[in-house]
Every structure is written in structure tokens, then in C-alpha cells.
Amino acid sequence: MKTLTAGRLLPVLGTLLAALLCALGPGAGSASAHAALTSTDPASGSVVPVAPEKVKLTFSEGVLLSADSVRVLDPQGKRVDEGRPAHVDGKSNTASVGLAGGIADGTYTVAWQAVSADSHPVAGAFTFSIGAPSKTAAKVTTAEADPVVDALYTTGRYAAYAGYLLLVGGCVFAGVCRSSRPVQRIAVGGWITLFAATSALLLLRGPYTGGKGIGAAFDLSLLGDVLATKPGAALLSRLLLLSAAAVFLAVLFGSYAREDGDRTGMERRDVAYGLAIGGAVVAVGLAATWAMAEHASAGLQPWLAMPVDVLHLLGVAVWLGGLASLLAVLWTGEPIRQADVQRFSRLAFTSVCVLVATGLYQSWRQVGSWGALTGTEYGRWLLLKVALVTGMLGLAYFSRRWTGRLTDRRPAAKKAAPAARPVQAKAAGQARAAKAASPSREDKDASPERAAQLARQREALEKAAGQRRRDADEGRSGLRRSVLAEAGVAVAVLAVTTLLTGTQPGRAETEQRQAASSGGARTTAPDASGPAEVKIPYDTGGTNGRGTAVVRIDPARSGNNSLDVTVTDPAGKAVDVPELEVSFTETRKNIGPLRTSLKRGPAGRWQASGFQLPMAGEWQLTLTVRTSDIDQITEIRNVKIN
């Protein structure tokens, strides 16, 4: 029976990760809106007899406001709002702004943009009329994130999570199981990654929420505005805590790791207690910087959700970061005792128990119902995460079996099995070569360059001989393969977890739908029935220039939408065209054209997410299809946005 070697396993894991990243690509480009507009006063599309004193907006969860969060434009496009937007009666899920006195009758446009309490930007617009509707020249531009800024910010979020897991997991593994040079590299690498990612996120936060380009990352005034917000304060706190973590790393892998003969057992135990307490404070503090600025800080029971989120993140770090440390030790060939691996196994089991308990609470809080598990994007990603974690637990079972077969000492040469003799013969040959390369009296008199070359040769030979001896340990080789497989799945778990933090929770999405269907969110028409689909035949006149494009707009309502365009030939077979563009225009109110950046998917598929349609009404959909360098056509259709 053939066993799966590390060389065969690496391509499999690489393929799995590449497929996962491709699957995440279409949905990870833009974070879904987390705070949805549920009602307005005056209501969207309504006609009021007299001008109101203020405009009020209510969201599905708390929002952070800025000086331009709510703008009211008259029919000529001039601002008529007064003062700074504020929360109503201190409720964080509301926003209101006063109106100037003596404004005339007509149709007014309210454009809003804010930041969800879980740090994600949202925007939209609606209209109302005073006295009677009128034509309006107001133009609304949506502050979509710059593609480069969005990609860098998303990458920074992934890197920050990965850095935290490696930093905390590596330190715990070093303190509880075994400290060595590979483990030190894991922990220090995690610190560097987390520090670099946090610094980048802090600089990119302003451009990300304000829809600005990469050049605005070094705008000091924009950075000052970011630091005044809760997410900015969390990122700055993380940087300060990382300075304390640097001191902790210096002690853990410095004086404490070295065996000091002058230090008594009591003194060493006191240092260990101090490191444990200090490390726990820093690890909890770092985890809290996520809890205070993301899903846990908004919605249901934040007073309980935040400490639960901290525990969940700590459990993930101890398990997955420790797993990376164990893999590093096994991969580099450092000696490790069976007792050390068993100690980590018990630690990982405890972490999994914490993850299950905290994960159940988080699932109930964020999903809310069984139907939302399959009926919302958040629920479906959560099911994928559960499946991946279950797979990791299955692999962990095999790792425990291999742990039981580890040997702390090599068998004596006289009792070696016949199958092991060729390996020992090779090791002996390498040892003889190393001895031959040992410094002689002539070598000592050689030049420094020659001496350094000989030293490198001896080190390489000794490493090769040691690697062959270690590979002869079947238990160690099997454990390395099993842990490598676990680490590969762990990367996928990390990717899905990061994506979940950028997806609207299932409970919020369900409440938003219920509010819309009951008429409470007066920003959508009461007869809204879901996504809109427009079938557009086209003929560019050239070779293979005929076909049909089906444009699907989901949910076809004012606010955040996703686009999915499928292109087929006359036979109904998917066809890939060189270029395809879609834009929307509200001709009666002179809004647009609003263009979206479509991403090429599988053959015949083009997709976009996070596309904002500012108001309900009859919109003009413009589709441009190019089938060759010179053959192109533009088709126009009408679509109703509720």
C-alpha cells in the first residue's frame, strides 16, 4: 500500500488552496453592506405637504457618522442640510440632519454614507417630495472603494489574522511544549506580519471608507479622522500592544530559553509565571482589538459577544498557530519528544472545546435561524467553515495515532532491521565524508574564504545525514505528513473565517428582508419580489457576433446589489466575449450613468458585487458587448428597481 509522502501531498494542498481562493474571488471583492437602511422619515418616494425640520434614517445596526454622512440636495442639486449629522436620542442605529428653513416645493434627494459599527462602509440615496414631485438635477455619486485600495485592504485583513495566529500559537507552543529555533521563527514571523498588516490597514482605512485612491493613504488629515473612529482606535491600540509583544518575545526566546545555571528552580518558575501572565494580557488585548471593531461589537448582546469573540480567537490561535509550530519543528528535523507532542495534543483538544462552545454561541447570534444557514451568504460560508473544521478534526485523529508511534531514541545499530541498513549505510558514508571534510592542520592555515567554504560543506553533510536518520523514524514521518495536511486545511479555514468577517450576518440579512416585505423599510416598493432578470439578444454583425446576454440584478432594490451576466451563443452554449460593460441611468432624475466594474468569471460569466443603485425607479440598463477588435454593439433595456 502506497503512503502519501510530503512531496505528493504539497501539490494536492496547493491545488486545494488555489481552488478555494478562486471560489472566494467573486464574493470577496467587496464586503457586503452590514448596516442596511430599514426606514426613513420622510419615507422614500413620499410626498409631504410641508417641509420637515429634519431628515431621519434608521439602520439595521449601529453606524458611525461623519460630517458628510447625510446630504440633502434640492431640485437644483444644492445642499439644503444644516449642521452635522447626529444620532437620534443617542441611538447608534439612527442618523438625522436638520434642513434649512424656507425651502421650496419639489423633489429632494438624500444621499447618505456611513460606516457600520463592525467597520464596513455603506452608502445609498433616496428621494422625497415637498408639495408635489418635480424634476431634479441632483447628481448622486456612490463612494465605492478604489479597486487597488480594496484589494490591499482585503489582503491586509487576511495577513493580520494569519500574523496573530502565528504569534500567539508560536509563543504558547514554545512556553508549554518546546522552544526551538523553528518555533522562534514562527512567532517572530507572526509578529512582523501582524505589525506590517496593521500599519497598512491603518493607512488604508481612510481611502477604503471614503472611496479614495491609494495616494490618499498618506493624507495626514484623513489619518486623523480615522484615529477618531472606533476601528482606527482599535488598530492604533494593536500597534501599541505589539510593542509590548516584542519585549515578551525577547524574553521568551532569549534569557528564558537559555538554561542559566546560576538561576534556581524557584527563580525560573517565577519568570515562567510572569511570562504566562504578561503573555496572556497581551494576547487577550490583541484579540480585543478585533472584537471591539467588528461583528461582536454590533448587534445582539455585545456585552457577551465581545469576550466570547476574544475566547474564540484565542482558541483558534493556540490550535492553528501551535499546529504551524509543530509542523516547523517536524519539517526542519529538530528533535522533539513524544511527551512534547502529546502535551500539544491535549492543548489542541482544549482549544477545540473552546472553539465549539464559543462557535455555537456566535452562530446563533449571527445566523439566528436554521433557514438562514442555507438562505443567506453568511450561513453558507459558515457551513463551509464547519465542514473544513470537521475535516481538520479527522486529520487530527490520525495525527494522534502517529504520535503514539513516536520514538525518543534511535534503536541501537546492532538491532537495526534489515530494511534500515541501507539508510544507516548512507548515513555512515555521509559521516565519513564529514570526517574527511573536518579541519586538518592545513585547513587551519587556509584562507578565511576556504575555511568558510569547508564549514558550509560540513554543515550540509551533517544536515543530510541527520535528515536520513530522522526519515528512518516511521512515526515521525507519518506525523509530519498528517500535520502538513492539517496545516493545509487550516489555511482554508483561515481564508473562510476572514471572509465571514466581511459578510453581512445572516440575522441582519433576514431582518432586512422581513422589514422590506412588511413595508417597514419604506425604501423599497411593497411589491418587491426579488432579483430582476433581463434577457438581451445582441448582434455585432461580425463572425460569431450573435448571442444573448442575461443580466441578473440581485436583489434589484435601492442600495447594495450584485450583478451576474451570462453570455451564450444562439445554440445556448456559454461563450466568452473580449469585453462587456454594464451601466445604469435614471433618465427622469438625470442620475448616471453609473458604471460597475465587472469581473470575468468562468466561460461566459461576468460578475460584480457591492454595486450601489441610489434610489428606486425605472432605470435604463445599457449593455455594451464587443466580440472582436472592431465588432461592438450597445443595447438598452429598462429595469425596475424597487
Side-chain angles (χ1 to χ4, degrees), residues 19 30 65 69 109 138 160 246 274 287 289 326 359 381 435 442 447 513 529 533 538 545 554 568 598 628 636:
S30 301
L65 303 177
S69 285
T109 303
T289 61
L326 177 59
W381 284 122
K435 184 176 181 181
E442 290 78 13
S447 64
R513 292 175 181 173
S529 56
E533 192 170 278
Y538 66 87
D554 189 5
T568 58
L598 292 169
S628 70
I636 298 176

Side-chain angles (χ1 to χ4, degrees), residues 143-476:
E144 295 184 4
D146 180 82
V148 175
V149 173
D150 185 57
L152 291 175
Y153 195 85
T154 302
T155 303
R157 291 173 59 243
Y158 279 85
Y161 275 113
Y164 178 79
L165 301 189
L166 295 178
L167 171 61
V168 175
C171 290
V172 172
F173 189 90
V176 177
C177 303
R178 185 183 187 280
S179 178
S180 64
R181 183 59 62 87
V183 179
Q184 180 182 357
R185 293 194 188 104
I186 289 291
V188 174
W191 186 94
I192 295 173
T193 302
L194 182 55
F195 183 85
T198 303
S199 301
L201 290 174
L202 190 59
L203 293 174
L204 293 171
R205 180 70 191 170
Y208 174 71
T209 57
K212 301 182 183 298
I214 188 66
F218 300 98
D219 187 342
L220 295 182
S221 61
L222 201 59
L223 180 60
D225 293 338
V226 169
L227 293 177
T229 64
K230 185 171 63 173
L235 291 172
L236 181 60
S237 300
R238 191 181 301 168
L239 289 177
L240 295 176
L241 286 168
L242 282 173
S243 62
V247 177
F248 175 83
L249 288 173
V251 176
L252 178 64
F253 294 103
S255 59
Y256 180 75
R258 295 191 295 268
E259 294 291 341
D260 192 348
D262 297 333
R263 181 179 293 166
T264 65
M266 182 66 71
E267 291 175 341
R268 186 171 179 81
R269 194 159 48 246
D270 291 341
V271 173
Y273 285 141
L275 283 174
I277 296 173
V281 170
V282 173
V284 170
L286 289 172
T289 61
W290 275 281
M292 67 181 290
E294 294 190 349
H295 286 316
S297 64
L300 187 68
Q301 298 177 345
W303 56 271
L304 178 59
M306 291 177 65
V308 168
D309 194 61
V310 169
L311 285 176
H312 191 80
L313 193 54
L314 285 172
V316 174
V318 172
W319 182 22
L320 301 189
L323 191 68
S325 301
L326 177 59
L327 178 62
V329 173
L330 294 171
W331 196 263
T332 57
E334 290 278 345
I336 186 169
R337 299 177 304 170
Q338 184 185 56
D340 296 334
V341 181
Q342 290 175 339
R343 195 176 299 118
F344 170 71
S345 180
R346 291 191 294 269
L347 189 64
F349 177 77
T350 304
S351 300
V352 170
C353 292
V354 172
L355 289 177
V356 171
T358 56
L360 287 174
Y361 171 77
Q362 288 179 326
S363 300
W364 167 81
R365 179 176 178 272
Q366 301 290 5
V367 178
S369 64
W370 292 108
L373 276 175
T374 56
T376 64
E377 183 182 1
Y378 187 93
R380 290 188 287 270
W381 284 122
L382 182 61
L383 289 176
L384 176 59
K385 178 182 176 181
V386 170
L388 290 172
V389 172
T390 302
M392 281 196 67
L393 293 176
L395 292 171
Y397 168 76
F398 291 102
S399 296
R400 288 178 64 89
R401 294 186 62 182
W402 282 113
T403 300
R405 302 174 64 176
L406 278 180
T407 56
D408 293 338
R409 293 180 302 177
R410 297 194 308 273
K414 294 181 179 180
K415 298 181 180 180
R421 288 171 186 166
V423 176
Q424 291 182 351
K426 291 181 180 179
Q430 296 292 346
R432 287 192 297 270
K435 184 176 181 181
S438 59
S440 62
R441 182 171 300 176
E442 290 78 13
D443 293 335
K444 294 179 181 179
D445 298 332
S447 64
E449 292 79 6
R450 176 59 178 166
Q453 182 182 10
L454 292 173
R456 287 194 298 269
Q457 290 177 352
R458 286 193 298 272
E459 183 179 357
L461 291 171
E462 291 172 358
K463 183 177 181 180
Q467 188 67 48
R468 287 187 173 88
R469 289 195 302 268
R470 288 187 292 270
D471 288 343
D473 187 344
E474 183 182 1
R476 184 186 181 95

Side-chain angles (χ1 to χ4, degrees), residues 13-51:
L13 294 177
T15 304
L16 173 64
L17 180 58
L20 177 70
L21 293 178
C22 290
L24 297 182
S30 301
S32 302
H34 290 198
L37 185 63
T38 58
S39 66
T40 64
D41 183 16
S44 174
S46 65
V47 179
V48 296
V50 296

Side-chain angles (χ1 to χ4, degrees), residues 482-614:
S482 180
V483 172
L484 178 60
E486 284 188 73
V489 181
V491 173
V493 172
L494 177 61
V496 175
T497 300
T498 308
L499 183 61
L500 278 172
T501 65
T503 305
Q504 184 178 19
R507 183 186 290 271
E509 185 176 340
T510 302
E511 291 175 353
Q512 180 183 351
R513 292 175 181 173
Q514 292 174 349
S517 62
S518 63
R522 298 292 299 279
T523 53
T524 59
D527 59 346
S529 56
E533 192 170 278
V534 183
K535 184 178 293 187
I536 306 176
Y538 66 87
D539 186 355
T540 63
T543 305
N544 299 324
R546 297 179 56 211
T548 301
V550 179
V551 183
R552 180 182 173 86
I553 310 156
D554 189 5
R557 298 172 182 169
S558 59
N560 195 45
N561 286 269
S562 63
L563 298 181
D564 191 318
V565 185
T566 303
V567 184
T568 58
D569 60 13
K573 183 179 179 181
V575 59
D576 201 5
V577 295
E579 185 177 355
L580 188 142
E581 293 182 356
V582 173
S583 64
F584 291 83
T585 306
E586 224 291 5
T587 56
R588 289 177 298 178
K589 298 180 181 179
N590 196 25
I591 299 176
L594 304 179
R595 294 181 174 84
T596 180
S597 178
L598 292 169
K599 294 182 179 180
R600 189 190 300 269
R605 292 285 296 278
W606 297 73
Q607 295 174 320
S609 60
F611 178 65
Q612 295 282 339
L613 289 172

